Amino acid sequence: MTPAPTRVVVVGADAAGMSAAHQALRTARRTGRRLDVTVLERGHHTSYSACGIPYWMAGDVPTGDDLVARTADQHREAGIDLRFGVEVVAADLAARTVTTADGGAVGWDELVVATGAPAVVPDWALRSDGTTYDGVGVVKTLDDGAAWIERFAAAGDGAHVVVVGAGYVGVEVAEAALRHGFGVTVLTRGRGTGMLEDELADLVNTGLVDAGAELVLGAEVTCLDVTDGRVSGVRWDGGTRAADLVVVAVGVRPATGFLEGTGLELSPNGALRPDPHGRVGDHVWAAGDCCEVRRRVDDQWVFRPLATYATKHGRALGDSLAGGSLGFDGMVDTSITRFAHADVHLEIARTGLSRRDADAAGFDAVALLTEGTTTAGYLPEAEPVAIWVMADRATRRLLGVQVVGGRGAGKRVDAAAAVLWAGGSVDDLAWMDLAYAPPFSTTWEVLQVAARRVAERL
Ligand SMILES: Cc1cc2nc3c(=O)[nH]c(=O)nc-3n(C[C@H](O)[C@H](O)[C@H](O)COP(=O)(O)OP(=O)(O)OC[C@H]3O[C@@H](n4cnc5c(N)ncnc54)[C@H](O)[C@@H]3O)c2cc1C
């Protein structure tokens, strides 16, 4: 008798969950396993690029549909039983069931947790019924994006947008609001984007101000002014600003509440810690924003909710679940964004450790900031670029690189990420064979000059 197919239940139908589902089916065809793959999604969207939402808000992407990589129909045609409007509220690992919000139960042989990390909404943004005041919202899902498109369209000339948070999402949304001609204030409790060393964050801060935004550093929002249920201002310790719209971009938190009491180990912020194949327990798997990822440079778990990790880990998980051996071998903490408006064009990127990470890991780190140009200086398109490089004095290992600069600056970080990935030295970065022609770099590429300067000081 042919054995019954293995019942795979995936919770969450976006980057991690659908990567896992499709790869499991592909690998199962190769390994000869029979899988029934069911995906339970509490919302009504699947496989879309949240990363593209700020560019949709800015007007660069015509519709939300353009952000959808694969439709629900395409998933179903591939053999996946995708169910929308189904929220999982509990899991029983012994009985191998999940309970849904309508009280139903779904049985599984293999459970994949890919529930992501919803945006954090502080109390000051919420009415007593838990909804946000009119004119206030986060930027996380396609529905959030659609709500912002409507709010932007309804806002009159001279409207003022306050963005709370100066991380990547805050910076991208500030750009979108400026592009609509709105007044923009960015409030951040720190000294600027926390992903960068202070001297690079300062360059981003200067770019925001040069592009017309007001920037308030060290501002902890305390409450909103609300008129007839609608936001009319923002108050923080030290100031107030009248506001027509308030974007809350203060981070995300793993959606793992339904796993409480299952015995699965969660990190202090509630994230799962899967192995390279995605395993978190007996027949239980996880990937994506609901997880922390292993950073290879200092061998630490860190919470980095990024699509690039969700899709890679999801794929490795799906393959392993179906009998393959793909593994997600951690990351080196690489990320990138852009802030561009008016005459300002800044590409912002980092890889590896920050100074604080290096100190915590006990490295004797040496770091320097080097300035140069993105192309040969004699070309009209040459733009300034600042590159921060850090290496370990004892071993000469490259530890981290950060970049802020004009067009073409940002993806320079990839060469540094490749060296970090291979555990290479600052000398490797200084001397490796990178492409050169005047429209692309100076003869001594600025990244390599930056590495060489650090190497000379070790
Ligand atoms: C504005 C913005 C810009 C971004 N830019 C970048 C970028 O430039 N580069 C980058 O790498 N990353 C970026 N990201 C991050 C990227 O979007 C996420 O890392 C990625 O979407 C994570 O995928 P995921 O599948 O793990 O989680 P999600 O995309 O959050 O999907 C999880 C799904 O699970 C569902 N779900 C949750 N709980 C339950 C439950 N209990 N029952 C049923 N369903 C449930 C949710 O509804 C959701 O659809 C950005 C994110 C945002 C918001």
Side-chain angles (χ1 to χ4, degrees), residues 221-408:
V221 174
T222 51
C223 65
L224 301 179
D225 292 329
V226 177
T227 311
D228 297 332
R230 200 184 161 78
V231 67
S232 55
V234 182
R235 293 177 184 268
W236 63 93
D237 48 353
T240 62
R241 181 69 60 249
D244 301 289
L245 298 170
V246 175
V247 182
V248 180
V250 297
V252 297
R253 192 172 292 137
T256 52
F258 74 100
L259 295 173
E260 253 171 51
T262 58
L264 287 175
E265 196 187 325
L266 298 174
S267 73
N269 78 336
L272 291 154
R273 290 178 166 174
D275 76 7
H277 301 286
R279 273 188 209 90
V280 288
D282 205 15
H283 301 284
V284 187
W285 312 72
D289 284 8
C290 56
C291 302
E292 290 186 344
V293 276
R294 199 78 183 155
R295 185 168 57 200
R296 295 156 63 115
V297 191
D298 55 351
D299 203 23
Q300 290 294 312
W301 287 104
V302 290
F303 183 55
R304 291 289 183 267
L306 289 173
T308 178
Y309 306 141
T311 50
K312 287 183 181 122
H313 212 166
R315 190 180 183 98
L317 182 168
D319 182 67
S320 303
L321 184 155
S325 58
L326 284 183
F328 171 68
D329 226 353
M331 52 69 150
V332 294
D333 219 347
T334 310
S335 57
I336 187 165
T337 189
R338 181 199 73 183
F339 174 76
H341 179 63
D343 293 335
V344 177
H345 181 110
L346 284 184
E347 298 181 2
I348 303 155
R350 58 155 289 161
T351 187
L353 305 184
S354 66
R355 162 67 79 172
R356 187 190 297 187
D357 298 329
D359 290 345
F363 289 109
D364 179 10
V366 176
L368 272 183
L369 186 70
T370 300
E371 293 179 356
T373 54
T374 50
T375 70
Y378 49 76
L379 288 178
E381 63 263 40
E383 293 195 39
V385 53
I387 301 194
W388 177 90
V389 172
M390 180 174 65
D392 177 39
R393 193 187 300 277
T395 61
R396 306 184 72 81
R397 245 181 87 193
L398 183 66
L399 295 178
V401 171
Q402 300 182 8
V403 180
V404 175
R407 268 186 196 77

Side-chain angles (χ1 to χ4, degrees), residues 11-17 40-43 50-51 54 86-88 114-117 139-140 169 172 255 258 287-289 305-308 310 336:
V11 189
D14 199 23
L40 308 178
E41 166 58 50
R42 70 174 166 203
C51 318
V86 182
E87 179 170 6
V88 170
T115 45
V139 182
K140 175 66 194 172
V169 174
E172 291 166 9
F258 74 100
D289 284 8
L306 289 173
T308 178
I336 187 165

Side-chain angles (χ1 to χ4, degrees), residues 15-287:
M18 298 320 289
S19 297
H22 280 278
Q23 187 58 45
L25 288 174
R26 273 194 295 271
T27 301
R29 280 196 289 277
R30 196 185 77 230
T31 55
R33 299 199 181 181
R34 292 172 63 222
L35 304 181
D36 267 352
V37 179
T38 302
V39 180
L40 308 178
E41 166 58 50
R42 70 174 166 203
H44 291 86
H45 298 292
T46 179
S47 296
Y48 61 91
S49 168
C51 318
I53 294 172
Y55 306 99
W56 179 26
M57 290 168 66
D60 290 340
V61 180
T63 70
D65 288 345
D66 294 307
L67 298 179
V68 176
R70 258 207 258 205
T71 64
D73 285 347
Q74 287 171 322
H75 290 311
R76 291 178 183 131
E77 279 158 21
I80 294 169
D81 178 5
L82 170 59
R83 303 181 197 171
F84 283 142
V86 182
E87 179 170 6
V88 170
V89 293
D92 184 331
L93 304 192
R96 296 207 183 153
T97 57
V98 288
T99 308
T100 55
D102 62 4
V106 181
W108 47 267
D109 302 308
E110 306 288 342
L111 176 66
V112 178
V113 181
T115 45
V120 171
V121 186
D123 288 343
W124 50 255
L126 294 171
R127 298 184 175 99
S128 53
D129 67 359
T131 58
T132 52
Y133 295 105
D134 293 348
V136 181
V138 298
V139 182
K140 175 66 194 172
T141 64
L142 272 189
D143 291 337
D144 297 330
W148 280 110
I149 297 291
E150 275 181 29
R151 291 185 192 116
F152 278 9
D157 283 349
H160 198 88
V161 181
V162 173
V163 180
V164 184
Y168 286 1
V169 174
V171 165
E172 291 166 9
V173 170
E175 172 185 321
L178 286 164
R179 298 260 295 274
H180 284 272
F182 300 138
V184 173
T185 299
V186 178
L187 301 178
T188 170
R189 58 157 70 117
R191 187 173 150 177
T193 179
M195 302 296 281
L196 298 176
E197 298 301 308
D198 287 348
E199 54 265 57
L200 287 114
D202 287 347
L203 297 175
V204 178
N205 294 346
T206 303
L208 280 162
V209 172
D210 287 350
E214 177 191 30
L215 177 67
V216 185
L217 305 179
E220 183 77 46
V221 174
T222 51
C223 65
L224 301 179
D225 292 329
V226 177
T227 311
D228 297 332
R230 200 184 161 78
V231 67
S232 55
V234 182
R235 293 177 184 268
W236 63 93
D237 48 353
T240 62
R241 181 69 60 249
D244 301 289
L245 298 170
V246 175
V247 182
V248 180
V250 297
V252 297
R253 192 172 292 137
T256 52
F258 74 100
L259 295 173
E260 253 171 51
T262 58
L264 287 175
E265 196 187 325
L266 298 174
S267 73
N269 78 336
L272 291 154
R273 290 178 166 174
D275 76 7
H277 301 286
R279 273 188 209 90
V280 288
D282 205 15
H283 301 284
V284 187
W285 312 72

